[in-house]
C-alpha cells in the first residue's frame, strides 16, 4: 500500500482498511508531524512500524484492531506526547499485557462487540492516566486490572459483558472512587452483586452526584445496594429502556 502524508498539511485523517491479507502500514503515516486527529480501522491484522512519532496528535481512534505482540508497538501511545482522547472500538486483545500510559489523556473509551470474544478475559489491562476526566468501559472483565485511582475523573460509564471475577471488578471500581457522574448497566450491577456482599463491602463513591442506569434492570438488589454507596447522590436517572415494561 502506498500512502504519503504531507507533513505540513494533513491535520485529520480517517483510514479504514478492508484488506484480505495482513498489512504493514508505511512509516510516512506514523511520523506525520501535523496530524492532530487519526482514525484507523482494519478488518485484519495490521503491523505497525518500529518507529512512531505524533508530536501534535490529540485524538486517536482505533477500530477493529487485533492487538498482538507481533503487530503492536506501544510507541503509538508513548510517542503521542499530547494525546488527549483515545478510543478503542471493537478491538480484540491477543496479548497477556496491554498497557495504556498517557499522562495527558483526558478521555478513554474501550468498547468491544457484544457478540465477539474480545480477549480481555486473558489479558492484564494496565492504565496510567493521571489527567483522565472521562472513562467508558464496555467490555468483558479483564484477567487483571492495574490502575491507580483517577483523582480528576468526572464521568465514568461501565458496562461489563461478562462479570464473574470479583477481585478484578473491585480493582476497576476502586480506580473510579473519585468520579462525579457514574453510569452502570444491569450487567455491571449483576457483576457487582455476584462479587460482593453489597451491604458491607462495596466501595463508596462519595463524590457521585449523578447516577445513571443505562438499561433494563433484571433485579433491584444491585441498584438498592449501590444507592447506599453514593451517600451524596443528588440525581438518579433511568434511561428510557430501563423503565420499559
Amino acid at each position: 500500500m502506498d500512502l504519503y502524508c504531507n507533513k505540513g498539511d494533513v491535520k485529520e485523517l480517517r483510514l479504514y482498511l478492508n484488506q484480505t491479507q495482513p498489512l504493514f502500514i508505511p512509516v510516512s503515516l506514523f511520523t506525520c508531524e501535523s496530524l492532530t486527529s487519526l482514525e484507523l480501522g482494519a478488518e485484519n491484522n495490521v503491523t505497525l512500524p518500529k518507529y512512531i512519532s505524533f508530536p501534535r496528535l490529540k485524538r486517536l481512534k482505533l477500530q477493529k484492531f487485533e492487538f498482538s505482540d507481533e503487530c503492536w508497538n506501544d510507541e503509538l501511545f508513548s510517542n503521542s506526547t499530547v494525546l488527549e482522547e483515545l478510543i478503542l472500538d471493537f478491538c480484540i486483545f491477543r496479548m497477556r499485557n496491554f498497557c495504556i500510559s498517557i499522562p495527558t489523556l483526558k478521555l478513554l473509551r474501550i468498547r468491544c462487540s457484544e457478540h465477539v470474544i474480545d480477549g480481555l478475559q486473558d489479558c492484564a489491562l494496565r492504565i496510567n492516566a493521571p489527567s483522565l476526566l472521562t472513562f467508558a468501559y464496555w467490555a468483558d472483565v479483564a484477567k487483571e486490572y492495574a490502575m491507580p485511582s483517577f483523582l480528576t475523573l468526572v464521568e465514568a460509564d461501565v458496562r461489563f459483558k461478562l462479570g464473574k471475577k470479583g477481585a478484578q471488578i473491585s480493582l476497576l471500581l476502586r480506580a473510579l472512587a473519585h468520579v462525579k457522574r457514574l453510569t452502570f448497566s444491569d450487567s455491571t450491577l449483576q457483576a457487582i452483586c455476584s462479587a460482593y456482599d453489597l451491604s458491607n463491602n462495596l466501595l463508596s463513591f462519595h463524590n457521585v452526584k449523578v447516577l445513571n442506569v443505562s438499561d433494563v434492570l433484571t433485579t433491584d438488589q444491585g441498584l438498592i445496594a449501590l444507592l447506599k454507596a453514593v451517600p451524596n447522590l443528588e440525581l438518579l436517572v433511568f434511561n428510557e429502556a430501563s423503565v420499559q415494561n
Side-chain angles (χ1 to χ4, degrees), residues 13 40 69 118 132 138 141 152 170 219 226:
L13 178 63
L40 186 59
D69 292 326
D118 55 41
L132 198 65
W138 301 11
V141 179
T152 59
S170 175
T219 176
L226 182 60

Side-chain angles (χ1 to χ4, degrees), residues 9-140:
D9 296 332
V10 179
K11 293 185 178 181
E12 298 184 6
L13 178 63
R14 297 179 182 178
L15 181 62
Y16 291 88
L17 306 171
N18 190 16
Q19 78 282 7
T20 57
Q21 299 294 330
L23 179 69
F24 184 89
I25 300 179
V27 175
S28 58
L29 172 61
F30 287 95
T31 55
C32 185
E33 296 180 359
S34 61
L35 269 182
T36 60
S37 177
L38 174 62
E39 295 187 11
L40 186 59
E43 292 293 335
N44 289 291
N45 287 351
V46 170
T47 299
L48 300 180
K50 292 183 179 180
Y51 178 71
I52 299 173
S53 178
F54 287 122
R56 293 181 175 84
L57 192 68
K58 291 192 173 183
R59 182 179 185 272
L60 174 63
K61 178 179 179 180
L62 301 178
Q63 183 168 319
K64 294 186 177 180
F65 257 63
E66 289 192 15
F67 298 113
S68 66
D69 292 326
E70 294 77 17
C71 301
W72 178 242
N73 182 352
D74 59 11
E75 284 190 0
L76 184 55
F77 296 158
S78 62
N79 284 356
S80 299
T81 55
V82 296
L83 191 65
E84 295 182 354
E85 296 185 14
L86 175 61
I87 299 170
L88 305 178
D89 272 356
F90 312 119
C91 296
I92 296 177
F93 299 80
R94 303 191 187 281
M95 303 174 66
R96 292 184 178 180
N97 296 279
F98 189 79
C99 180
I100 300 171
S101 182
I102 308 173
T104 56
L105 198 64
K106 295 180 180 179
L107 181 149
L108 173 60
R109 184 176 81 191
I110 301 173
R111 181 176 63 172
C112 297
S113 172
E114 294 183 5
H115 309 294
V116 177
I117 297 176
D118 55 41
L120 282 167
Q121 307 96 316
D122 300 313
C123 177
L125 181 60
R126 306 179 187 279
I127 301 175
N128 179 30
S131 302
L132 198 65
L133 300 176
T134 302
F135 177 69
Y137 186 91
W138 301 11
D140 286 332

Side-chain angles (χ1 to χ4, degrees), residues 180 207-211 227 230-237:
K180 295 177 175 62
N207 294 339
V208 169
K209 302 295 184 182
V210 180
L211 177 62
L227 290 175
V230 286
N232 298 311
L233 186 68
E234 297 178 357
L235 180 63
L236 175 61
V237 179

